[in-house]
Amino acid sequence: MIQIYHNPRCGKSRNCLAFIDQSKQEYEIIPYLTDTPSFTELKELLAKLNLKPLQLVRIKETIWIENFKGKDLNDDEIIQAMVENPILIERPIVIKDGKAIIGRDLDLVADFLG
């Protein structure tokens, strides 16, 4: 089953969700802002995405700029920052068959979903 880490206030996330809905494939919405992934879940998600933690951070978010930008953080500290501030997690994230992508580009989502 497809999963989507979704923020309903984000236009890219809403567009991706609508695209997945139109694909007629079964999916589950993960409202990650209220159902925040744990440290372990984020590490697993990063492995599925094949990304380093900083690559998943929305570095233009005010929380990041004011609290973390310019600091020498290790990967675990970056993951912990996302756990404590889920708004920092890039979205939407689409998961299928043990792999994941950031679903901002619908062409990539289409290829990913097959």
Side-chain angles (χ1 to χ4, degrees), residues 46-69:
L46 285 160
K48 290 175 185 174
L49 287 161
N50 195 28
L51 294 177
K52 293 282 190 187
L54 189 57
Q55 293 174 294
L56 190 59
V57 173
R58 296 176 53 83
I59 60 172
K60 294 182 181 176
E61 284 288 336
T62 303
I63 291 171
W64 181 261
I65 293 167
E66 292 178 354
N67 298 293
F68 304 104
K69 183 179 179 182

Side-chain angles (χ1 to χ4, degrees):
M1 178 192 319
I2 298 166
Q3 294 176 303
I4 178 172
Y5 277 66
H6 177 60
N7 176 351
R9 296 181 64 175
C10 171
K12 294 278 187 185
S13 194
R14 288 191 309 268
N15 289 343
C16 183
L17 180 59
F19 183 84
I20 292 170
D21 193 50
Q22 291 173 353
S23 78
K24 304 296 184 200
Q25 297 183 55
E26 191 174 332
Y27 64 89
E28 172 190 12
I29 296 171
I30 300 171
Y32 71 95
L33 292 176
T34 55
D35 186 10
T36 307
S38 69
F39 185 92
T40 302
E41 289 168 329
L42 266 181
K43 279 192 99 154
E44 292 169 358
L45 184 57
L46 285 160
K48 290 175 185 174
L49 287 161
N50 195 28
L51 294 177
K52 293 282 190 187
L54 189 57
Q55 293 174 294
L56 190 59
V57 173
R58 296 176 53 83
I59 60 172
K60 294 182 181 176
E61 284 288 336
T62 303
I63 291 171
W64 181 261
I65 293 167
E66 292 178 354
N67 298 293
F68 304 104
K69 183 179 179 182
K71 292 187 178 178
D72 187 23
L73 303 173
N74 65 36
D75 287 351
D76 285 352
E77 290 169 326
I78 295 169
I79 293 169
Q80 188 61 40
M82 288 188 280
V83 169
E84 293 172 7
N85 305 281
I87 193 71
L88 294 176
I89 300 170
E90 185 61 80
R91 74 243 176 185
I93 299 170
V94 181
I95 304 166
K96 182 180 178 185
D97 299 331
K99 296 180 182 173
I101 63 165
I102 296 174
R104 297 181 68 77
D105 181 334
L106 294 182
D107 289 335
L108 292 177
V109 175
D111 290 343
F112 182 72
L113 296 180

